[in-house]
Amino acid sequence: MENYDAEKLQALTGHASPMDILHDPSQNKGVAFTHEERERLCLRGLLPPRPLSMEAQLERVKANFFSKPNNLEKYIFLTALQERNETLFYRFVRENIEQTLPIIYTPTVGEACQTYSQIFRRPQGMFISLEDRGHVRELLGNWEHKDVRVIVVTDGSRILGLGDQGANGMGIPVGKLALYTACAGIPPIHCLPITIDVGTNNEDLLNDPLYVGLQHKRVGGDDYDGLIEEFVQAVGDAFPRAMIQFEDFSNDNAFRLLDKYRNRVCAFNDDIQGTAAVALAGLLASLRITEGELKRQKFLFMGAGSAGFGIADLILLAMEQQGMPREEGLKRFRFMDSRGVVTRQRDDLTGRKGEFACDDAPEKDLEKVVESFQPTALIGVSGRGGAFYEEVVRAMARINQRPIIFALSNPTSKAECTAEQCYSWTEGRGVFASGSPFDPVTWQGKTFVPGQGNNAYCFPGIGLGVIMCQAKHVTDEMFLVAAQTLAEITDEADLNKGRVYPSLQDIRAVSLKTALAVIKVAEERGLAKTPLGENAEERTRSWMCSARYRSYV
Ligand SMILES: NC(=O)C1=CN([C@@H]2O[C@H](COP(=O)(O)OP(=O)(O)OC[C@H]3O[C@@H](n4cnc5c(N)ncnc54)[C@H](O)[C@@H]3O)[C@@H](O)[C@H]2O)C=CC1
Ligand SMILES: CC(=O)C(=O)O
Ligand SMILES: [Mg+2]
């Protein structure tokens, strides 16, 4: 028989045994449990005798983190901390955001997905596979938390610019949701990462004996659509207050699923819409440097997929708001993909490509397209590292006094050019942003701090706003206001350093402002199920979790 009162413990912590408290990452404080708490929760003897403060724990975590020999080891270390003591994990991430974001997110999360089968310790999130057809609702009932508000779901088919990673893509929803908590204060209890496994076309995984996903080719067609439909319906039933974020779906499905579900449930696609918001924000801030007007810009996109068309659509919406009709705006865009410029003569004008196709002659050489189209902004969303080679960047600098060059592909190895290349090839005149972080660059005595043009600046705040007012849908207008809000927060000091985004240190304030702007749109459009009115800021602030230990005495 136990010498503790299980009922009392249950009432206090939700757990009937003291050891379960230590094994629950949302309750565990490790050695930070005070003497009084240890007494009350019957933890005496289960911990080394001397209580330490959270500050001391943070010192230890810091020393461990920085002593790791490489980034993947840092990732494994932080994941273990997250699974052991969530509060300490989030406090450490927040206090060291510049150092930890590149680990729990791009670029290292990409490496973590690629090695997922090797580094797998404990499952995080939920896996739904083809084998679960007909049982998805039942399966969601196995998740321990019942009040889920945000689901990030992938099918692993296009993980960053690394292609098909199958079930190993789970690192992405887990990382994105960690950002929801770290950057927007959404309590982890409300977050659910999900990977839908319909197989993989990645030959390495199909031949890897350690691969943890279904080891057959991807299944598409009605079976795929049926599973996604069952998933969306099951979410509505199991978690009626949840918003669904589609993440890293290959572009044959990304737009299709977005179009199918955006007006039916509360859902958005981050690669299309979140990326659009961050890119537009960066462009609006860039125009304060180049002293240009959005309507007068010419955009050349390398990459004609989810991110590219998502960004272009939002730019067009912003142009329309400034009085430029969509038809006129379309003329200011060119898209290139692996087959060259997207022209009307092509035989693959499916989806968004048809609308953005131009009348130019076919051309595969990026430098020639830069010379003929004379873009003011070059945007890389191709997942092809090094696509912006020296002659291309130099041509941009010949045509423009201040060329805008965004290398948005992730992870770092897929960036179309590096920050250093951009600044040196444009002789310090390039206005640069990248999807994965680059260190500051000193060029001829001036130090540039490149901004990170990553949807991480937008989706946490948008999600926070949607959740707070329980918006019925996530609309393009919400992404537009998110972009405008982010651009406004970027100040002159940022721009003077060459950074077209605010510092990541300010990310919580950015997320809060974004959320408030989103709530306002939802309320104005009659989409808010629980309007917050004048209390929006106070209610949102007080809902955001703070990464502080709760007291049990
Ligand atoms: N910075 C950010 O916040 C975000 C960055 N991305 C990055 O953007 C990249 C693309 O993502 P999605 O648009 O979702 O992928 P996608 O697969 O929908 O589109 C990729 C496009 O690039 C084209 N492409 C591929 N190889 C090429 C080559 N050699 N030359 C020219 N074009 C080529 C493809 O034909 C396709 O049009 C990825 O690396 C992803 O990590 C995506 C979302 C957000
Ligand atoms: C950042 C992001 O969502 C991507 O690279 O897919
Ligand atoms: Mg993504």
mmCIF file with all atom_site columns, all heavy atoms in Angstrom, residues 17 45 63 78 88 102 111 120 141 189 214-215 258 266 296 309 313 376 399 414 469:
data_model
loop_
_atom_site.group_PDB
_atom_site.id
_atom_site.type_symbol
_atom_site.label_atom_id
_atom_site.label_alt_id
_atom_site.label_comp_id
_atom_site.label_asym_id
_atom_site.label_entity_id
_atom_site.label_seq_id
_atom_site.pdbx_PDB_ins_code
_atom_site.Cartn_x
_atom_site.Cartn_y
_atom_site.Cartn_z
_atom_site.occupancy
_atom_site.B_iso_or_equiv
_atom_site.pdbx_formal_charge
_atom_site.auth_seq_id
_atom_site.auth_comp_id
_atom_site.auth_asym_id
_atom_site.auth_atom_id
_atom_site.pdbx_PDB_model_num
ATOM 1   N N   . SER A 1 17  ? 0.001   9.284  -8.545  1.00 0.00 ? 17  SER A N   1
ATOM 2   C CA  . SER A 1 17  ? 1.255   8.887  -7.890  1.00 0.00 ? 17  SER A CA  1
ATOM 3   C C   . SER A 1 17  ? 2.324   9.972  -8.047  1.00 0.00 ? 17  SER A C   1
ATOM 4   O O   . SER A 1 17  ? 2.352   10.663 -9.079  1.00 0.00 ? 17  SER A O   1
ATOM 5   C CB  . SER A 1 17  ? 1.760   7.554  -8.471  1.00 0.00 ? 17  SER A CB  1
ATOM 6   O OG  . SER A 1 17  ? 2.762   7.789  -9.426  1.00 0.00 ? 17  SER A OG  1
ATOM 7   N N   . GLY A 1 45  ? 12.602  12.075 -1.275  1.00 0.00 ? 45  GLY A N   1
ATOM 8   C CA  . GLY A 1 45  ? 13.278  10.820 -1.593  1.00 0.00 ? 45  GLY A CA  1
ATOM 9   C C   . GLY A 1 45  ? 13.331  10.530 -3.085  1.00 0.00 ? 45  GLY A C   1
ATOM 10  O O   . GLY A 1 45  ? 14.153  9.750  -3.546  1.00 0.00 ? 45  GLY A O   1
ATOM 11  N N   . ALA A 1 63  ? 24.775  25.604 -20.104 1.00 0.00 ? 63  ALA A N   1
ATOM 12  C CA  . ALA A 1 63  ? 26.109  24.999 -20.185 1.00 0.00 ? 63  ALA A CA  1
ATOM 13  C C   . ALA A 1 63  ? 26.055  23.710 -21.001 1.00 0.00 ? 63  ALA A C   1
ATOM 14  O O   . ALA A 1 63  ? 26.903  23.461 -21.863 1.00 0.00 ? 63  ALA A O   1
ATOM 15  C CB  . ALA A 1 63  ? 26.637  24.727 -18.778 1.00 0.00 ? 63  ALA A CB  1
ATOM 16  N N   . LEU A 1 78  ? 17.592  19.387 -26.588 1.00 0.00 ? 78  LEU A N   1
ATOM 17  C CA  . LEU A 1 78  ? 16.415  20.228 -26.320 1.00 0.00 ? 78  LEU A CA  1
ATOM 18  C C   . LEU A 1 78  ? 15.122  19.416 -26.372 1.00 0.00 ? 78  LEU A C   1
ATOM 19  O O   . LEU A 1 78  ? 14.194  19.664 -25.591 1.00 0.00 ? 78  LEU A O   1
ATOM 20  C CB  . LEU A 1 78  ? 16.342  21.395 -27.316 1.00 0.00 ? 78  LEU A CB  1
ATOM 21  C CG  . LEU A 1 78  ? 17.335  22.532 -27.073 1.00 0.00 ? 78  LEU A CG  1
ATOM 22  C CD1 . LEU A 1 78  ? 17.115  23.665 -28.083 1.00 0.00 ? 78  LEU A CD1 1
ATOM 23  C CD2 . LEU A 1 78  ? 17.228  23.098 -25.654 1.00 0.00 ? 78  LEU A CD2 1
ATOM 24  N N   . LEU A 1 88  ? 10.747  24.629 -18.257 1.00 0.00 ? 88  LEU A N   1
ATOM 25  C CA  . LEU A 1 88  ? 12.167  24.985 -18.354 1.00 0.00 ? 88  LEU A CA  1
ATOM 26  C C   . LEU A 1 88  ? 12.583  25.083 -19.821 1.00 0.00 ? 88  LEU A C   1
ATOM 27  O O   . LEU A 1 88  ? 13.333  25.985 -20.211 1.00 0.00 ? 88  LEU A O   1
ATOM 28  C CB  . LEU A 1 88  ? 13.001  23.918 -17.624 1.00 0.00 ? 88  LEU A CB  1
ATOM 29  C CG  . LEU A 1 88  ? 14.474  24.214 -17.390 1.00 0.00 ? 88  LEU A CG  1
ATOM 30  C CD1 . LEU A 1 88  ? 14.672  25.498 -16.599 1.00 0.00 ? 88  LEU A CD1 1
ATOM 31  C CD2 . LEU A 1 88  ? 15.136  23.038 -16.659 1.00 0.00 ? 88  LEU A CD2 1
ATOM 32  N N   . PRO A 1 102 ? 17.246  28.314 -34.485 1.00 0.00 ? 102 PRO A N   1
ATOM 33  C CA  . PRO A 1 102 ? 17.859  27.543 -35.582 1.00 0.00 ? 102 PRO A CA  1
ATOM 34  C C   . PRO A 1 102 ? 18.035  26.063 -35.245 1.00 0.00 ? 102 PRO A C   1
ATOM 35  O O   . PRO A 1 102 ? 18.396  25.275 -36.113 1.00 0.00 ? 102 PRO A O   1
ATOM 36  C CB  . PRO A 1 102 ? 19.233  28.206 -35.753 1.00 0.00 ? 102 PRO A CB  1
ATOM 37  C CG  . PRO A 1 102 ? 19.142  29.516 -35.063 1.00 0.00 ? 102 PRO A CG  1
ATOM 38  C CD  . PRO A 1 102 ? 18.132  29.374 -33.977 1.00 0.00 ? 102 PRO A CD  1
ATOM 39  N N   . GLU A 1 111 ? 17.524  18.564 -40.595 1.00 0.00 ? 111 GLU A N   1
ATOM 40  C CA  . GLU A 1 111 ? 18.457  17.452 -40.357 1.00 0.00 ? 111 GLU A CA  1
ATOM 41  C C   . GLU A 1 111 ? 17.816  16.430 -39.415 1.00 0.00 ? 111 GLU A C   1
ATOM 42  O O   . GLU A 1 111 ? 17.988  15.215 -39.573 1.00 0.00 ? 111 GLU A O   1
ATOM 43  C CB  . GLU A 1 111 ? 19.728  18.029 -39.732 1.00 0.00 ? 111 GLU A CB  1
ATOM 44  C CG  . GLU A 1 111 ? 20.920  17.123 -39.775 1.00 0.00 ? 111 GLU A CG  1
ATOM 45  C CD  . GLU A 1 111 ? 22.113  17.734 -39.030 1.00 0.00 ? 111 GLU A CD  1
ATOM 46  O OE1 . GLU A 1 111 ? 22.104  18.950 -38.714 1.00 0.00 ? 111 GLU A OE1 1
ATOM 47  O OE2 . GLU A 1 111 ? 23.049  16.959 -38.749 1.00 0.00 ? 111 GLU A OE2 1
ATOM 48  N N   . PHE A 1 120 ? 15.216  8.696  -33.128 1.00 0.00 ? 120 PHE A N   1
ATOM 49  C CA  . PHE A 1 120 ? 13.902  8.521  -32.479 1.00 0.00 ? 120 PHE A CA  1
ATOM 50  C C   . PHE A 1 120 ? 14.073  8.008  -31.046 1.00 0.00 ? 120 PHE A C   1
ATOM 51  O O   . PHE A 1 120 ? 14.744  7.014  -30.808 1.00 0.00 ? 120 PHE A O   1
ATOM 52  C CB  . PHE A 1 120 ? 13.057  7.531  -33.292 1.00 0.00 ? 120 PHE A CB  1
ATOM 53  C CG  . PHE A 1 120 ? 11.686  7.326  -32.719 1.00 0.00 ? 120 PHE A CG  1
ATOM 54  C CD1 . PHE A 1 120 ? 10.661  8.212  -32.993 1.00 0.00 ? 120 PHE A CD1 1
ATOM 55  C CD2 . PHE A 1 120 ? 11.425  6.246  -31.884 1.00 0.00 ? 120 PHE A CD2 1
ATOM 56  C CE1 . PHE A 1 120 ? 9.396   8.034  -32.454 1.00 0.00 ? 120 PHE A CE1 1
ATOM 57  C CE2 . PHE A 1 120 ? 10.164  6.055  -31.341 1.00 0.00 ? 120 PHE A CE2 1
ATOM 58  C CZ  . PHE A 1 120 ? 9.146   6.952  -31.622 1.00 0.00 ? 120 PHE A CZ  1
ATOM 59  N N   . GLY A 1 141 ? -9.175  10.257 -30.093 1.00 0.00 ? 141 GLY A N   1
ATOM 60  C CA  . GLY A 1 141 ? -9.591  10.135 -28.694 1.00 0.00 ? 141 GLY A CA  1
ATOM 61  C C   . GLY A 1 141 ? -8.481  9.609  -27.799 1.00 0.00 ? 141 GLY A C   1
ATOM 62  O O   . GLY A 1 141 ? -8.546  9.725  -26.569 1.00 0.00 ? 141 GLY A O   1
ATOM 63  N N   . ILE A 1 189 ? -0.555  22.475 -23.913 1.00 0.00 ? 189 ILE A N   1
ATOM 64  C CA  . ILE A 1 189 ? -1.686  21.563 -23.722 1.00 0.00 ? 189 ILE A CA  1
ATOM 65  C C   . ILE A 1 189 ? -2.726  21.703 -24.846 1.00 0.00 ? 189 ILE A C   1
ATOM 66  O O   . ILE A 1 189 ? -3.482  20.788 -25.137 1.00 0.00 ? 189 ILE A O   1
ATOM 67  C CB  . ILE A 1 189 ? -2.313  21.850 -22.334 1.00 0.00 ? 189 ILE A CB  1
ATOM 68  C CG1 . ILE A 1 189 ? -3.170  20.708 -21.866 1.00 0.00 ? 189 ILE A CG1 1
ATOM 69  C CG2 . ILE A 1 189 ? -3.077  23.124 -22.322 1.00 0.00 ? 189 ILE A CG2 1
ATOM 70  C CD1 . ILE A 1 189 ? -3.624  20.879 -20.426 1.00 0.00 ? 189 ILE A CD1 1
ATOM 71  N N   . LEU A 1 214 ? 5.135   3.928  -42.928 1.00 0.00 ? 214 LEU A N   1
ATOM 72  C CA  . LEU A 1 214 ? 4.682   2.857  -43.819 1.00 0.00 ? 214 LEU A CA  1
ATOM 73  C C   . LEU A 1 214 ? 5.688   2.712  -44.961 1.00 0.00 ? 214 LEU A C   1
ATOM 74  O O   . LEU A 1 214 ? 5.970   3.674  -45.670 1.00 0.00 ? 214 LEU A O   1
ATOM 75  C CB  . LEU A 1 214 ? 3.305   3.187  -44.400 1.00 0.00 ? 214 LEU A CB  1
ATOM 76  C CG  . LEU A 1 214 ? 2.132   3.269  -43.420 1.00 0.00 ? 214 LEU A CG  1
ATOM 77  C CD1 . LEU A 1 214 ? 0.831   3.533  -44.179 1.00 0.00 ? 214 LEU A CD1 1
ATOM 78  C CD2 . LEU A 1 214 ? 2.013   2.001  -42.584 1.00 0.00 ? 214 LEU A CD2 1
ATOM 79  N N   . GLN A 1 215 ? 6.211   1.488  -45.140 1.00 0.00 ? 215 GLN A N   1
ATOM 80  C CA  . GLN A 1 215 ? 7.302   1.336  -46.095 1.00 0.00 ? 215 GLN A CA  1
ATOM 81  C C   . GLN A 1 215 ? 6.784   0.895  -47.471 1.00 0.00 ? 215 GLN A C   1
ATOM 82  O O   . GLN A 1 215 ? 7.063   -0.204 -47.925 1.00 0.00 ? 215 GLN A O   1
ATOM 83  C CB  . GLN A 1 215 ? 8.336   0.340  -45.542 1.00 0.00 ? 215 GLN A CB  1
ATOM 84  C CG  . GLN A 1 215 ? 9.747   0.748  -45.926 1.00 0.00 ? 215 GLN A CG  1
ATOM 85  C CD  . GLN A 1 215 ? 10.785  0.191  -44.969 1.00 0.00 ? 215 GLN A CD  1
ATOM 86  O OE1 . GLN A 1 215 ? 10.523  -0.747 -44.234 1.00 0.00 ? 215 GLN A OE1 1
ATOM 87  N NE2 . GLN A 1 215 ? 11.985  0.754  -44.972 1.00 0.00 ? 215 GLN A NE2 1
ATOM 88  N N   . LEU A 1 258 ? -6.212  23.323 -49.610 1.00 0.00 ? 258 LEU A N   1
ATOM 89  C CA  . LEU A 1 258 ? -6.552  24.636 -49.061 1.00 0.00 ? 258 LEU A CA  1
ATOM 90  C C   . LEU A 1 258 ? -7.891  25.104 -49.653 1.00 0.00 ? 258 LEU A C   1
ATOM 91  O O   . LEU A 1 258 ? -8.788  25.537 -48.922 1.00 0.00 ? 258 LEU A O   1
ATOM 92  C CB  . LEU A 1 258 ? -5.437  25.648 -49.375 1.00 0.00 ? 258 LEU A CB  1
ATOM 93  C CG  . LEU A 1 258 ? -5.713  27.079 -48.917 1.00 0.00 ? 258 LEU A CG  1
ATOM 94  C CD1 . LEU A 1 258 ? -5.870  27.164 -47.402 1.00 0.00 ? 258 LEU A CD1 1
ATOM 95  C CD2 . LEU A 1 258 ? -4.609  28.024 -49.384 1.00 0.00 ? 258 LEU A CD2 1
ATOM 96  N N   . CYS A 1 266 ? -11.944 25.802 -40.018 1.00 0.00 ? 266 CYS A N   1
ATOM 97  C CA  . CYS A 1 266 ? -10.972 26.835 -39.653 1.00 0.00 ? 266 CYS A CA  1
ATOM 98  C C   . CYS A 1 266 ? -9.586  26.288 -39.989 1.00 0.00 ? 266 CYS A C   1
ATOM 99  O O   . CYS A 1 266 ? -9.016  25.506 -39.210 1.00 0.00 ? 266 CYS A O   1
ATOM 100 C CB  . CYS A 1 266 ? -11.115 27.140 -38.161 1.00 0.00 ? 266 CYS A CB  1
ATOM 101 S SG  . CYS A 1 266 ? -10.004 28.426 -37.614 1.00 0.00 ? 266 CYS A SG  1
ATOM 102 N N   . ARG A 1 296 ? 4.697   49.815 -58.139 1.00 0.00 ? 296 ARG A N   1
ATOM 103 C CA  . ARG A 1 296 ? 5.681   50.018 -59.209 1.00 0.00 ? 296 ARG A CA  1
ATOM 104 C C   . ARG A 1 296 ? 6.774   48.951 -59.225 1.00 0.00 ? 296 ARG A C   1
ATOM 105 O O   . ARG A 1 296 ? 7.695   49.014 -60.030 1.00 0.00 ? 296 ARG A O   1
ATOM 106 C CB  . ARG A 1 296 ? 6.332   51.396 -59.067 1.00 0.00 ? 296 ARG A CB  1
ATOM 107 C CG  . ARG A 1 296 ? 5.327   52.497 -59.150 1.00 0.00 ? 296 ARG A CG  1
ATOM 108 C CD  . ARG A 1 296 ? 5.961   53.851 -59.410 1.00 0.00 ? 296 ARG A CD  1
ATOM 109 N NE  . ARG A 1 296 ? 4.937   54.883 -59.304 1.00 0.00 ? 296 ARG A NE  1
ATOM 110 C CZ  . ARG A 1 296 ? 4.010   55.117 -60.218 1.00 0.00 ? 296 ARG A CZ  1
ATOM 111 N NH1 . ARG A 1 296 ? 3.983   54.424 -61.325 1.00 0.00 ? 296 ARG A NH1 1
ATOM 112 N NH2 . ARG A 1 296 ? 3.093   56.062 -60.039 1.00 0.00 ? 296 ARG A NH2 1
ATOM 113 N N   . PHE A 1 309 ? 3.403   31.272 -55.404 1.00 0.00 ? 309 PHE A N   1
ATOM 114 C CA  . PHE A 1 309 ? 2.074   31.765 -55.772 1.00 0.00 ? 309 PHE A CA  1
ATOM 115 C C   . PHE A 1 309 ? 1.340   32.347 -54.562 1.00 0.00 ? 309 PHE A C   1
ATOM 116 O O   . PHE A 1 309 ? 0.543   33.281 -54.704 1.00 0.00 ? 309 PHE A O   1
ATOM 117 C CB  . PHE A 1 309 ? 1.249   30.665 -56.440 1.00 0.00 ? 309 PHE A CB  1
ATOM 118 C CG  . PHE A 1 309 ? 1.782   30.293 -57.802 1.00 0.00 ? 309 PHE A CG  1
ATOM 119 C CD1 . PHE A 1 309 ? 2.036   28.975 -58.136 1.00 0.00 ? 309 PHE A CD1 1
ATOM 120 C CD2 . PHE A 1 309 ? 2.048   31.279 -58.745 1.00 0.00 ? 309 PHE A CD2 1
ATOM 121 C CE1 . PHE A 1 309 ? 2.540   28.641 -59.395 1.00 0.00 ? 309 PHE A CE1 1
ATOM 122 C CE2 . PHE A 1 309 ? 2.560   30.956 -60.003 1.00 0.00 ? 309 PHE A CE2 1
ATOM 123 C CZ  . PHE A 1 309 ? 2.803   29.627 -60.317 1.00 0.00 ? 309 PHE A CZ  1
ATOM 124 N N   . ASP A 1 313 ? -0.030  36.117 -54.705 1.00 0.00 ? 313 ASP A N   1
ATOM 125 C CA  . ASP A 1 313 ? -1.450  36.411 -54.468 1.00 0.00 ? 313 ASP A CA  1
ATOM 126 C C   . ASP A 1 313 ? -1.633  37.491 -53.407 1.00 0.00 ? 313 ASP A C   1
ATOM 127 O O   . ASP A 1 313 ? -2.486  38.369 -53.540 1.00 0.00 ? 313 ASP A O   1
ATOM 128 C CB  . ASP A 1 313 ? -2.183  35.136 -54.013 1.00 0.00 ? 313 ASP A CB  1
ATOM 129 C CG  . ASP A 1 313 ? -2.748  34.369 -55.198 1.00 0.00 ? 313 ASP A CG  1
ATOM 130 O OD1 . ASP A 1 313 ? -2.959  34.976 -56.266 1.00 0.00 ? 313 ASP A OD1 1
ATOM 131 O OD2 . ASP A 1 313 ? -2.963  33.143 -55.052 1.00 0.00 ? 313 ASP A OD2 1
ATOM 132 N N   . THR A 1 376 ? 12.613  44.515 -59.894 1.00 0.00 ? 376 THR A N   1
ATOM 133 C CA  . THR A 1 376 ? 13.157  45.261 -58.754 1.00 0.00 ? 376 THR A CA  1
ATOM 134 C C   . THR A 1 376 ? 13.392  44.297 -57.582 1.00 0.00 ? 376 THR A C   1
ATOM 135 O O   . THR A 1 376 ? 14.170  44.598 -56.687 1.00 0.00 ? 376 THR A O   1
ATOM 136 C CB  . THR A 1 376 ? 12.180  46.353 -58.300 1.00 0.00 ? 376 THR A CB  1
ATOM 137 O OG1 . THR A 1 376 ? 10.906  45.744 -58.061 1.00 0.00 ? 376 THR A OG1 1
ATOM 138 C CG2 . THR A 1 376 ? 12.035  47.436 -59.354 1.00 0.00 ? 376 THR A CG2 1
ATOM 139 N N   . ILE A 1 399 ? 20.858  46.813 -62.488 1.00 0.00 ? 399 ILE A N   1
ATOM 140 C CA  . ILE A 1 399 ? 19.546  47.347 -62.879 1.00 0.00 ? 399 ILE A CA  1
ATOM 141 C C   . ILE A 1 399 ? 18.960  48.255 -61.790 1.00 0.00 ? 399 ILE A C   1
ATOM 142 O O   . ILE A 1 399 ? 18.265  49.220 -62.075 1.00 0.00 ? 399 ILE A O   1
ATOM 143 C CB  . ILE A 1 399 ? 18.578  46.179 -63.166 1.00 0.00 ? 399 ILE A CB  1
ATOM 144 C CG1 . ILE A 1 399 ? 19.082  45.386 -64.372 1.00 0.00 ? 399 ILE A CG1 1
ATOM 145 C CG2 . ILE A 1 399 ? 17.151  46.638 -63.372 1.00 0.00 ? 399 ILE A CG2 1
ATOM 146 C CD1 . ILE A 1 399 ? 18.451  44.018 -64.498 1.00 0.00 ? 399 ILE A CD1 1
ATOM 147 N N   . LYS A 1 414 ? 19.703  25.131 -48.932 1.00 0.00 ? 414 LYS A N   1
ATOM 148 C CA  . LYS A 1 414 ? 18.831  25.353 -50.094 1.00 0.00 ? 414 LYS A CA  1
ATOM 149 C C   . LYS A 1 414 ? 18.621  26.835 -50.396 1.00 0.00 ? 414 LYS A C   1
ATOM 150 O O   . LYS A 1 414 ? 17.899  27.180 -51.340 1.00 0.00 ? 414 LYS A O   1
ATOM 151 C CB  . LYS A 1 414 ? 17.458  24.687 -49.869 1.00 0.00 ? 414 LYS A CB  1
ATOM 152 C CG  . LYS A 1 414 ? 17.528  23.206 -49.559 1.00 0.00 ? 414 LYS A CG  1
ATOM 153 C CD  . LYS A 1 414 ? 18.044  22.399 -50.743 1.00 0.00 ? 414 LYS A CD  1
ATOM 154 C CE  . LYS A 1 414 ? 18.147  20.923 -50.383 1.00 0.00 ? 414 LYS A CE  1
ATOM 155 N NZ  . LYS A 1 414 ? 18.792  20.126 -51.437 1.00 0.00 ? 414 LYS A NZ  1
ATOM 156 N N   . CYS A 1 469 ? -10.453 34.587 -30.640 1.00 0.00 ? 469 CYS A N   1
ATOM 157 C CA  . CYS A 1 469 ? -11.833 35.013 -30.958 1.00 0.00 ? 469 CYS A CA  1
ATOM 158 C C   . CYS A 1 469 ? -12.619 33.873 -31.586 1.00 0.00 ? 469 CYS A C   1
ATOM 159 O O   . CYS A 1 469 ? -13.753 34.073 -32.009 1.00 0.00 ? 469 CYS A O   1
ATOM 160 C CB  . CYS A 1 469 ? -11.815 36.242 -31.872 1.00 0.00 ? 469 CYS A CB  1
ATOM 161 S SG  . CYS A 1 469 ? -11.199 35.907 -33.515 1.00 0.00 ? 469 CYS A SG  1
#
